[in-house]
Amino acid sequence: MTTADQIRTIAARAFGYQTQGHGFAKVHHSLTLRNALEWAHCYDRATVTRRGQFVAATTTKATK
């Protein structure tokens, strides 16, 4: 990982958005809402937060 990638990761964790799919442990850190929503669409259900505040929830497939 280059120094620029490390700086971007640190900034995303401190100031950006977090995307987590329901039922998954991995969290994706993004600097922009657009990028966070792109990650959210990789899951059937996902939640996007920023600094602990709810931003968005997505459902891409019908759930029972």
Side-chain angles (χ1 to χ4, degrees):
M1 183 182 274
T2 64
T3 302
D5 290 335
Q6 291 175 341
I7 291 171
R8 187 196 63 79
T9 300
I10 292 168
R13 286 183 177 179
F15 305 111
Y17 298 88
Q18 294 180 348
T19 303
Q20 184 169 14
H22 292 268
F24 295 89
K26 183 162 178 78
V27 176
H28 302 279
H29 297 278
S30 308
L31 285 172
T32 63
L33 178 58
R34 183 177 184 171
N35 192 290
L37 291 174
E38 287 177 8
W39 275 114
H41 287 291
C42 294
Y43 299 100
D44 292 341
R45 294 175 48 213
T47 302
V48 178
T49 58
R50 182 173 188 202
R51 296 186 183 181
Q53 297 291 322
F54 172 82
V55 176
T58 62
T59 302
T60 57
K61 295 182 182 177
T63 57
K64 294 181 181 181

